[in-house]
Amino acid sequence: MSLLDSKVPEGDLAEKWTNHKFDMKLVNPNNKRRFSIIVVGTGLAGASAAASLAELGYKVKAFTHHDSPRRAHSIAAQGGINAAKNYTNDGDSVHRLFYDTIKGGDYRSREANVHRLAEVSVNIIDQATAQGVPFAREYGGLLDNRSFGGAQVSRTFYARGQTGQQLLLGAYSALMRQVGLGTIDLYPRQEMLEVVKKDDEACGIVVRDLVSGEVSSHSAHAVVLATGGYGNVYFLSTNAMMCNVTAAWRAHREGAFFANPCYTQIHPTCIPASDDFQCKLTLMSESLRNDGRIWVPTATDDQRPAGDIPESERDYYLERKYPAFGNLVPRDVASRNAKTVVDEGRGIGPLKNGVFLDFAEATARDGEDAIRSKYGNLFDMYERITGENPYERPMRIYPATHYTMGGLWVDYHLMTTVPGLYALGEANFSDHGANRLGASALMQGLADGYFVLPYTIGNFLAPRLGQDPVSTSDPVFARAEAAVEDRTKKWLSTKGTKSVDHYHRELGKMVWDGIGMARNRAGLEQALSDIPELEKEFHANVIVPGSAATLNQSLEKAGRVDDFFGLAKLMARDALEREESCGGHFRDEHQTEEGEAKRDDENFSHVAAWEFNGPDTAQTRHREELEFENVELTQRSYK
């Protein structure tokens, strides 16, 4: 085990980023065109990074496994994006956003990164507005704000329930402008299957064309991964089915440390599962908790319709337990409390697996038209899925896997432990600690892409002026392509009897049971026993029909699920060794008398970053010590 250097600059927290931008090496405008950069992923982080780098003059290759960058999963984000503009004049500031994010992450974030995020948040809104993102506006014409969990101010900018879509269209337009100018080469329907290194530095990638099956190599001076999170390890999640961990995991296998994999976020506001055959869950925006009140019957097994249950027999449990924040407590707190009341037998709905999100009071107070103007598209989506009208009866919600705070370890420059390999957005671990506050994912993705990486990557490239990228004829690329071909042949030659989806679903059940909303030693040890056994069966008995020379989704899934098996084992080990509760990582053995997460700051105030040592060897656990010079470590309270 070793201690990791985050490369956080010295000096006052509020001045670190400003001063460091001056101290970093620069590449002058004429020399930028001599450097080539690969960007994998075209969501908010990837599209904004590719567009910004190309605008500066770098030659960029952008890869997406979608048919269009507009299909990236960032499009699914609903509720909003945080920024410390203080338009509502309710006491917000850069420091308050910084503090709320540190506290919301249960004091497991790197202070310098979070403060930088809060600083550049104000620039993101200006950038997006200039691109034409149609943020909601209040009567005077200024951009409107609403509240989100974990904050007592209104700092969330939004475009109804389509904020991610609108922000992605803005970044996409900037990306495609550069494609039109010839500064970005766009490669759709390409899946990255290997990171290639030369002399221990990243020098390119190997991809497979998902339509033709062709395997090809691409080289560059630097590689940027912006490929999202790994929530689909649970099978049932709010993520799109194509979301996966493969790019990050293949980078991990090539030397990039994987940090805090046990930090997964369960979103409290999802439509409950309706049967055992679902492959995806649907998110209802956290913004609904502004006006919706969450409750369950006080009695167990109450079968009455919501309208027949009088106020005296309703338990508004979040308002009861957390009066200062009420229904706007952070996601991990809201999720665990929902699990508690359902486990007590007070769940509602046909399967008794949900809680009510009730808009009756807000509708009576503000009128249906006002509610419709705020949430109409979300209400329509809910009715299409459930057949229930949320204007007339409460929504049914329950927590589901949503976001992952763990990811590739990166330093202050967003570089992984492999020189020249960067990770942005949800693919890295850096800003959210053990729990992400709502409306902060879009903020981080765009901050990394628009305002951080374009500065920090120059510091790496400047000393390499005059060096050509490694040729794709170099043996390092041939070896990487051969590894891809060998894996492909292995999957196609395994003539088993069960589908990839079968094993993915079984793995997801194990991960949810053992590494879900609440973990304990017995469950984690059981997961570490059961997952490898299922993995062996998967390798021996999976069936992958078809060939590699055409579109073959079973082949795609086989590689992705194989990577999920490796990740799941690491998640369980990471959760087992972190003998504390913090944020989304809740150990039953470590809780306060009131059932809240109980941290162990003396022994676990650090990032756990895992080094890959080979497929049959346990990873090595490294540490980055977290230093808190500007916030006091306290028991997190939202009462």
Side-chain angles (χ1 to χ4, degrees):
M1 185 182 72
S2 63
L3 296 179
L4 293 169
D5 180 11
S6 62
K7 297 184 173 61
V8 171
E10 298 294 329
D12 182 73
L13 181 68
E15 303 296 328
K16 284 183 189 292
W17 178 233
T18 300
N19 293 337
H20 195 55
K21 285 189 290 185
F22 178 77
D23 292 338
M24 283 187 291
K25 300 180 182 71
L26 295 177
V27 180
N28 80 45
N30 288 327
N31 287 334
K32 284 187 173 73
R33 62 176 61 95
R34 302 184 183 184
F35 290 107
S36 59
I37 301 170
I38 286 171
V39 178
V40 184
T42 57
L44 285 177
S48 61
S52 299
L53 294 169
E55 185 75 39
L56 289 171
Y58 295 108
K59 293 187 294 184
V60 177
K61 290 183 176 181
F63 294 82
T64 175
H65 64 204
H66 300 286
D67 56 352
S68 166
R70 290 178 296 134
R71 294 191 186 275
H73 191 58
S74 299
I75 203 170
Q78 297 170 341
I81 176 172
N82 288 330
K85 285 285 196 182
N86 196 31
Y87 281 174
T88 55
N89 198 31
D90 59 356
D92 201 11
S93 65
V94 167
H95 187 78
R96 187 176 294 278
L97 175 54
F98 155 75
Y99 175 77
D100 285 347
T101 306
I102 290 283
K103 177 183 176 183
D106 217 351
Y107 304 94
R108 290 295 177 260
S109 308
R110 188 189 290 156
E111 274 194 345
N113 284 62
V114 177
H115 198 278
R116 178 175 64 187
L117 177 66
E119 289 177 61
V120 303
S121 69
V122 297
N123 300 329
I124 296 170
I125 303 304
D126 296 339
Q127 174 95 356
T129 304
Q131 290 172 338
V133 174
F135 288 121
R137 294 179 181 268
E138 49 89 22
Y139 75 97
L142 293 178
L143 301 185
D144 198 11
N145 292 120
R146 58 188 177 196
S147 300
F148 256 61
Q152 290 181 302
V153 297
S154 294
R155 64 163 65 102
T156 304
F157 295 78
Y158 65 98
R160 298 188 74 191
Q162 304 169 346
T163 313
Q165 179 184 33
Q166 298 302 327
L167 287 169
L168 185 59
L169 288 174
Y172 168 75
S173 67
L175 172 75
M176 296 309 294
R177 175 176 180 270
Q178 296 300 324
V179 172
L181 292 172
T183 56
I184 294 179
D185 293 328
L186 179 63
Y187 295 84
R189 302 296 283 150
Q190 305 283 325
E191 181 170 31
M192 193 213 88
L193 296 179
E194 288 290 343
V195 169
V196 184
K197 296 192 304 182
K198 173 82 171 182
D199 299 328
D200 292 326
E201 291 189 358
C203 64
I205 61 174
V206 173
V207 300
R208 178 178 180 270
D209 187 305
L210 295 179
V211 177
S212 69
E214 179 186 0
V215 174
S216 60
S217 295
H218 301 265
S219 68
H221 292 93
V223 176
V224 179
L225 301 184
T227 51
Y230 48 87
N232 272 353
V233 68
Y234 290 90
F235 187 75
L236 269 182
S237 81
T238 66
N239 294 172
M241 290 301 293
M242 285 185 70
C243 293
N244 61 83
V245 76
T246 288
W249 194 253
R250 302 292 167 87
H252 175 54
R253 292 170 65 95
E254 289 299 320
F257 290 5
F258 209 104
N260 299 334
C262 76
Y263 287 171
T264 57
Q265 180 173 81
I266 312 298
H267 196 294
T269 318
C270 303
I271 299 177
S274 58
D275 56 47
D276 292 332
F277 302 101
Q278 281 185 239
C279 59
K280 186 186 182 305
L281 295 172
T282 302
L283 173 69
M284 289 286 100
S285 169
E286 182 175 315
S287 64
L288 295 170
R289 291 200 277 152
N290 272 290
D291 289 302
R293 300 181 70 193
I294 296 173
W295 64 276
V296 292
T298 56
T300 59
D301 198 26
D302 193 328
Q303 301 295 313
R304 291 176 292 175
D308 293 345
I309 302 175
E311 285 288 320
S312 60
E313 297 178 35
R314 300 182 180 190
D315 181 12
Y316 296 91
Y317 55 91
L318 292 179
E319 298 174 32
R320 171 174 55 82
K321 294 179 67 174
Y322 309 98
F325 283 75
N327 296 300
L328 289 174
V329 293
R331 291 174 175 178
D332 62 318
V333 177
S335 295
R336 283 197 300 274
N337 278 273
K339 181 180 187 297
T340 296
V341 296
V342 170
D343 289 350
E344 290 172 351
R346 295 193 284 155
I348 55 88
L351 301 181
K352 302 177 185 177
N353 61 344
V355 299
F356 286 126
L357 180 61
D358 195 339
F359 291 85
E361 181 179 292
T363 302
R365 180 187 67 234
D366 301 331
E368 184 175 315
D369 289 344
I371 299 301
R372 191 179 298 275
S373 68
K374 290 181 181 180
Y375 313 116
N377 60 313
L378 296 170
F379 278 39
D380 292 345
M381 181 169 66
Y382 179 87
E383 185 170 10
R384 284 196 298 271
I385 292 170
T386 66
E388 300 171 4
N389 184 344
Y391 295 103
E392 298 175 355
R393 56 195 294 188
M395 287 184 178
R396 293 179 293 111
I397 59 168
Y398 192 66
T401 305
H402 179 58
Y403 189 88
T404 53
M405 288 75 67
L408 295 179
W409 184 90
V410 293
D411 61 19
Y412 191 69
H413 290 186
L414 304 183
M415 188 188 290
T416 70
T417 49
V418 175
L421 178 65
Y422 293 80
L424 311 185
E426 194 177 359
N428 74 31
F429 87 102
S430 66
D431 290 3
H432 306 298
N435 175 60
R436 176 177 68 83
L437 291 184
S440 288
L442 306 184
M443 177 174 61
Q444 187 214 345
L446 292 177
D448 287 355
Y450 280 139
F451 298 110
V452 179
L453 182 74
Y455 282 101
T456 61
I457 201 168
N459 196 65
F460 171 78
L461 295 174
R464 291 159 175 77
L465 183 63
Q467 298 179 12
D468 292 329
V470 177
S471 171
T472 54
S473 62
D474 190 283
V476 294
F477 284 97
R479 287 195 293 270
E481 288 191 24
V484 170
E485 298 287 2
D486 288 345
R487 280 196 301 269
T488 299
K489 290 177 182 177
K490 184 192 81 168
W491 295 125
L492 294 173
S493 64
T494 304
K495 303 300 182 182
T497 61
K498 294 181 179 178
S499 69
V500 178
D501 283 343
H502 165 80
Y503 287 104
H504 191 183
R505 187 184 297 274
E506 292 301 308
L507 172 64
K509 290 178 181 177
M510 289 181 180
V511 177
W512 180 254
D513 290 341
I515 328 171
M517 271 194 281
R519 298 101 185 254
N520 55 61
R521 174 169 290 276
L524 292 168
E525 290 177 343
Q526 188 68 47
L528 283 170
S529 173
D530 292 345
I531 291 171
E533 289 301 312
L534 183 65
E535 183 181 27
K536 290 178 185 176
E537 182 186 333
F538 169 66
H539 286 161
N541 194 44
V542 71
I543 181 169
V544 180
S547 76
T550 184
L551 176 68
N552 188 338
Q553 291 185 319
S554 292
L555 179 60
E556 296 170 32
K557 292 177 183 178
R560 295 169 187 169
V561 172
D562 190 34
D563 294 329
F564 278 139
F565 271 106
L567 170 68
K569 291 183 291 185
L570 185 59
M571 287 172 62
R573 186 176 169 203
D574 187 47
L576 185 61
E577 296 207 14
R578 186 167 283 276
E579 288 278 4
E580 66 165 353
S581 292
C582 55
H585 168 63
F586 190 83
R587 288 283 297 267
D588 291 335
E589 305 95 327
H590 305 289
Q591 54 183 302
T592 67
E593 293 180 358
E594 296 177 326
E596 305 294 346
K598 186 177 182 180
R599 299 192 318 271
D600 180 352
D601 294 330
E602 181 177 351
N603 295 304
F604 291 99
S605 186
H606 62 257
V607 176
W610 297 87
E611 177 185 9
F612 188 77
N613 296 313
D616 300 316
T617 307
Q619 282 103 323
T620 303
R621 189 180 193 268
H622 300 271
R623 292 163 57 136
E624 177 201 337
E625 297 296 337
L626 295 172
E627 298 180 3
F628 294 92
E629 301 174 350
N630 298 271
V631 296
E632 180 183 357
L633 291 173
T634 61
Q635 172 65 39
R636 196 167 53 133
S637 175
Y638 292 92
K639 296 186 175 183

